[in-house]
Structure formats: C-alpha cells, structure tokens
C-alpha cells in the first residue's frame, strides 16, 4: 500500500479523480484529501455517487458487448484503480486468455494498480498520458501485450472530460482509431450538462464546478460535440445516450439519468 507520509512520495494533498471515484464506489484505495472532497461533494449533492455507480455498471455492459463482438484485447485509457468489478475480471471470466492493458497518468493510481495486478498474467498497467497517443501505443506493456491481428476495444470511460480542448481530443481519438480500426471498438462515457433531465444536468454542473478545485479540472461536453468527436465510428444501438440508458440489464428498470453520455462504436475508417 502507498504510504501517504513517505518523504519524496507523491503529493496527496489534492484530491484525485481516480481515488475520489474509488471512494464513491466503496473502495479502500483513497486518502484523506480524496475522502474529504468526496464527502463535501456528497453533502452538496447526495446523488453524486449514482453517477460513479452508473458509469461503472455501464463499463460492465459495454465490455460484454465488445466480447460478444469478438474483442479479446482491451486498451483502457484513464483506467483508475481496478477495483469494484474491474474490467480485467469481467473480461477474464468470459475468456481467461483475453488481454487488458490499463493506462493511467496518475502515479498513485498506477502504483495501486500495480499492487492489485501483481502476478496477474496478460493484464498490464502503464504510466502514460493518454493525450500522448504515440507514447501510449509504444509503451512496452501495451505494444508487447497486444497481437495486432486480434480485434481490440479502446475504452475511454469517464476520462475525456479531463481533455478540455476539442481539437486536441479530435486528433487523439483519430489516432487511436487509426491504430485499432477498422474492426476495433471504441467505448466512451463523458460528463455532460445537456442531458434531457434538468436534475442530472444541474448535478453535472455542480460536479464540474467541484473538479475545478481538484488535481484535474473537468469540462463537460454537449451531445452534438460528442457526436462530432465520434465521426470515425458506427454507433451500436442505442447510440449516444445517458450511461443509465445504454442497454440496461434485461428485466431491470434502467437507473435514473445521471448526466453522462455513453456510446460504443465500431471503428469504420
Ligand atoms: C473518473 S476516473 C475513471 C476511471 C475508469 N475509467 C472508470 O470509469 O472506472 C478518471 C481516471 O482518468 C485518469 N486520467 C485523467 N487524465 C488522464 C490522462 N491525460 N492520461 C491518462 N489518465 C488520465 C485519472 O487519473 C483517473 O484515474
């Protein structure tokens, strides 16, 4: 476990989205600043945990859709801390030979991921900034893990709102699509304030405001912008919708709208 008092260790005085998110999901991989930030957010917004839970549940459903379409390799950009029904456990239950490359830029999330993944074959964690796609793709734990002939899903779940410049993000998504398409899949969820539900939109505005005091300020995007960013993919049904509405579990009522758009698309060109 990371020792928060170790001299020369990472600065843990600012809350970090990976650890705040872990706290929201009931995990134990977080520190005082993260817990205090999460509690302040929950005080202002008791429903804030719903967004994290709905987002994580979407990840599971999206990954199963990718497995059903033959994907056996998963590049998870901005992966956070792989606890609470993480990607590699879902994927490995389906196919023990499937491969997962986690990527995160935050040193504590990376160190914690390393501890969790120690001894797990075929699952790696790389410390890299997803905005440097060439560095991500060349990282040994990505390049050496993946077989270029195997269909690959690229995940960017609840992370692209930290890339605030639309032009940078467009180039970036295009680069990942070049690397894994056609035939690969792109999975995305993204904070938004123009969902068709005023309570959720207002909540997302509050979350966005809160993140301005965190290590990583976020910027919500509207539906039209996200649709433009996805110009290289054919969206699977039901398209670009709130995470709670993306293929809810059969027989279950979908959860409430939480203000995050979600999509899974096949890279077509
Ligand atoms: C809200 S968490 C989401 C974690 C995970 N994708 C999930 O949905 O469970 C966002 C994660 O993205 C990471 N992150 C933010 N910007 C990043 C960047 N430029 N490169 C890599 N990781 C980044 C953060 O460190 C954090 O772990």
């Amino acid at each position: 476990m990371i020792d928060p008092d170790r001299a020369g260790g990472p600065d843990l005085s600012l809350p970090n989205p990976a650890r705040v998110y872990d706290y929201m999901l009931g995990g134990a991989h977080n520190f005082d600043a993260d817990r205090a930030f999460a509690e302040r957010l929950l005080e202002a917004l008791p429903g804030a945990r719903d967004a994290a839970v709905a987002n994580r549940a979407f990840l599971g459903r999206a990954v199963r859709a990718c497995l059903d379409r033959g994907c056996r390799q998963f590049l998870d950009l901005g992966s956070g801390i792989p606890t609470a029904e993480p990607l590699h456990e879902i994927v490995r239950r389906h196919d023990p030979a499937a491969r997962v490359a986690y990527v995160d830029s935050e040193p504590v999330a990376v160190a914690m991921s390393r501890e969790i993944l120690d001894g797990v074959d075929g699952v790696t964690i790389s410390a890299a900034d997803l905005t440097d796609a060439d560095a991500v793709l060349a990282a040994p734990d990505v390049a050496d893990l993946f077989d270029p002939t195997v269909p690959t899903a690229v995940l960017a779940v609840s992370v692209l709102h930290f890339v605030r410049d639309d032009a940078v993000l467009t180039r970036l998504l295009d680069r990942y699509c070049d690397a894994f398409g056609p035939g690969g899949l792109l999975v995305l969820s993204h904070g938004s304030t123009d969902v068709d539900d005023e309570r959720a939109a207002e909540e997302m505005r509050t979350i966005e405001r809160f993140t301005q005091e965190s290590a990583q300020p976020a910027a919500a995007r509207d539906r039209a912008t996200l649709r433009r960013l996805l110009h290289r993919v054919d969206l699977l049904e039901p398209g670009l919708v709130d995470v709670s509405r993306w293929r809810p579990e059969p027989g279950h009522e979908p959860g409430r709208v939480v203000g995050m758009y979600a999509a899974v698309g096949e890279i077509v060109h």
Side-chain angles (χ1 to χ4, degrees), residues 61-200:
R61 300 192 303 275
V63 164
R64 285 192 288 276
C66 294
L67 286 163
D68 287 347
R69 294 178 77 92
C71 280
R72 290 295 179 270
Q73 297 182 153
F74 295 81
L75 175 64
D76 189 3
L77 303 169
S79 46
I81 302 161
T83 55
E85 189 65 358
L87 168 66
H88 69 281
E89 287 181 9
I90 301 171
V91 163
R92 291 304 195 81
R93 267 200 301 275
H94 188 96
D95 181 354
R99 293 167 182 197
V100 176
Y102 289 120
V103 174
D104 207 286
S105 56
E106 203 280 313
V108 179
V110 171
M112 288 176 167
S113 301
R114 251 189 207 121
E115 283 179 8
I116 292 167
L117 299 173
D118 187 32
V120 183
D121 237 21
V123 184
T124 62
I125 168 76
S126 300
D129 189 324
L130 70 90
T131 61
D132 187 350
D134 289 329
V136 168
L137 296 169
D141 278 337
V142 176
D144 297 347
L145 183 72
F146 284 170
D147 173 343
T149 65
V150 172
T152 301
V154 180
L155 286 83
V157 175
S158 191
V159 63
L160 296 181
H161 34 244
F162 299 116
V163 182
R164 292 147 62 91
D165 185 307
D166 285 352
V168 169
L169 186 51
T170 304
R171 279 199 298 279
L172 206 58
L173 286 176
D174 286 356
R175 179 72 185 90
Y176 287 110
C177 287
D178 287 342
F180 296 106
L185 291 171
L186 186 64
V187 176
L188 168 149
S189 73
H190 194 296
S192 188
T193 50
D194 80 332
V195 285
D196 189 18
D197 180 297
E198 194 35 49
R199 173 183 166 194

